[in-house]
Amino acid sequence: MLFAVLCKDKPDSLQLRMDTRSEHVAFLNDLNARGVLAFAGPFLDDAGKPNGSLVVFKLDTIEEAKTTAAADPYAKAGLFAEVDIKPWNWVFNNPQA
């Protein structure tokens, strides 16, 4: 099952995001190697700077998705003001379909 993790950064947190980015990328690379990561990327503000994240996990339960999202270095660093996790169905342009 797919779970979309929608994250909104705290205001004025770009430096925290940049300081934590290498750990976050390593975390996502590990998830990808284990077949857990479907895709991921940042949301951008009007100036083209990251201000949130969209991460989609391939997991069995929402509890696993919550645990995995909480283990993200960005989450551990306190980057996010809001995190919303929703089951998601990839209908169009799904390379697995």
Side-chain angles (χ1 to χ4, degrees), residues 36-67:
V36 173
L37 182 67
F39 58 86
F43 292 112
L44 305 175
D45 65 16
D46 292 339
K49 303 288 184 192
N51 66 353
S53 298
L54 169 62
V55 181
V56 177
F57 298 137
K58 296 181 274 185
L59 293 166
D60 293 328
T61 67
I62 196 160
E63 290 78 18
E64 288 176 301
K66 289 177 181 178
T67 300

Side-chain angles (χ1 to χ4, degrees), residues 1-7 23-40 53-77 80 83-85:
M1 183 167 212
L2 295 174
F3 294 92
V5 182
L6 299 106
C7 307
E23 296 166 35
H24 168 73
V25 169
F27 173 77
L28 292 181
N29 281 332
D30 178 63
L31 293 179
N32 191 49
R34 294 189 288 128
V36 173
L37 182 67
F39 58 86
S53 298
L54 169 62
V55 181
V56 177
F57 298 137
K58 296 181 274 185
L59 293 166
D60 293 328
T61 67
I62 196 160
E63 290 78 18
E64 288 176 301
K66 289 177 181 178
T67 300
T68 303
D72 186 322
Y74 280 170
K76 288 181 171 183
F80 302 129
V83 176
D84 193 14
I85 301 174

